Amino acid sequence: MVGQKRMAAAGSTLIYLGVCLLALVVGVYVYGLFEAWVHMQPRELVSSQMIWPKAPPFTPWPSSTPVPSPTPTPTPTPGPPVRVEIPRLRIDRAIVPVGTVTRGGRTEWDAEKLFAASSRRDLVGHLDGTANPGQAGNIVLIGHNYNRGFFNWVGVFHSLRRLRKGDDIKLLNENDELFTFRVTEVKEVPFRPYSSADVLPHIVYLSPTRDETLTLVTCGGANFAPFPSRIYVVAKRILEE
């Protein structure tokens, strides 16, 4: 009897192990079928629905490097005047720059370079530091007033006081640009350089202006030094008509 019980127990154990082994084999088979099904699905489905959602589109951070502004092109400075034409006075003369010179402890404009010589007539001087044609400011031109009849040398601005309001004056600069100015004032001012009050009326005509102005200056009241007055002709820039 004991032997039969042992044989029955051993048989039950083998049956239990067989059932477990069968269940394991079936489980492995089913899992293999599932894995095969998963790999057969589209990659988009696997990646987007079964594993993780799609990441949002990549948006770069705004650049912290400032964008440089374009460098403005500098406006060229108009060239200085090189020739003046005054139709009423039949003047058509070259212009040269005039600086200052110190004589006897006093600083004055170096007008000596404008005097006539055997090889040329009087020149017209453009005072250094005053405006050029084509820019706002006061263009100051000077010329001599004398009449050495014996030598037939007449100062270029000897007849300057004959100009009238409305007369035209033309300037040519070194860039061959032509500018027209129209006379607005002709004034003779007594010249007594003894005090600031005496000089002030002259400084008014020689000072800078906000608009494009041309001022012609010469001595007045006599044909030889000392000259008791100065003659000023003021003209304003006009557009070509």
Side-chain angles (χ1 to χ4, degrees):
M1 292 291 293
V2 175
Q4 293 178 349
K5 290 182 177 180
R6 287 180 178 177
M7 291 179 63
S12 298
T13 300
L14 290 173
I15 293 171
Y16 176 76
L17 292 175
V19 171
C20 291
L21 181 60
L22 180 61
L24 178 62
V25 171
V26 171
V28 171
Y29 178 76
V30 171
Y31 181 78
L33 291 177
F34 176 76
E35 284 289 310
W37 177 84
V38 168
H39 286 288
M40 290 174 63
Q41 302 305 308
R43 296 300 298 172
E44 182 69 17
L45 177 64
V46 173
S47 63
S48 63
Q49 296 181 8
M50 299 188 65
I51 300 179
W52 57 75
K54 285 185 178 181
F58 174 74
T59 303
W61 287 93
S63 176
S64 60
T65 304
V67 178
S69 301
T71 303
T73 303
T75 303
T77 302
V82 296
R83 198 160 197 88
V84 57
E85 180 184 355
I86 309 176
R88 175 182 283 275
L89 305 182
R90 297 182 179 179
I91 291 175
D92 184 2
R93 202 65 58 88
I95 300 173
V96 295
V98 173
T100 58
V101 64
T102 301
R103 295 189 180 95
R106 189 175 71 175
T107 300
E108 58 187 27
W109 295 108
D110 186 14
E112 297 292 333
K113 66 192 305 183
L114 306 179
F115 276 115
S118 57
S119 59
R120 65 166 172 81
R121 299 180 295 173
D122 265 355
L123 299 178
V124 176
H126 174 220
L127 297 189
D128 283 350
T130 64
N132 291 332
Q135 64 181 177
N138 192 10
I139 308 165
V140 182
L141 303 182
I142 64 173
H144 288 298
N145 169 30
Y146 58 86
N147 184 0
R148 301 178 184 177
F150 182 78
F151 298 101
N152 199 28
W153 287 359
V154 178
V156 61
F157 282 171
H158 175 71
S159 303
L160 197 63
R161 64 186 304 164
R162 289 177 46 208
L163 285 175
R164 298 291 181 266
K165 291 182 180 180
D167 287 342
D168 286 350
I169 302 172
K170 298 182 182 294
L171 294 183
L172 186 71
N173 70 3
E174 66 178 8
N175 302 323
D176 288 331
E177 297 173 310
L178 188 64
F179 302 83
T180 302
F181 295 80
R182 186 154 293 165
V183 175
T184 59
E185 181 181 2
V186 180
K187 185 75 171 181
E188 185 170 354
V189 181
F191 182 67
R192 294 184 295 270
Y194 304 124
S195 66
S196 299
D198 293 326
V199 175
L200 184 59
H202 301 271
I203 294 178
V204 172
Y205 289 97
L206 301 175
S207 298
T209 58
R210 293 185 178 181
D211 55 358
E212 295 185 54
T213 303
L214 170 64
T215 302
L216 308 182
V217 187
T218 192
C219 299
N223 289 333
F224 297 95
F227 299 95
S229 64
R230 296 291 184 267
I231 297 173
Y232 296 96
V233 174
V234 180
K236 299 295 183 179
R237 167 85 184 279
I238 64 169
L239 298 179
E240 293 294 335
E241 298 176 345

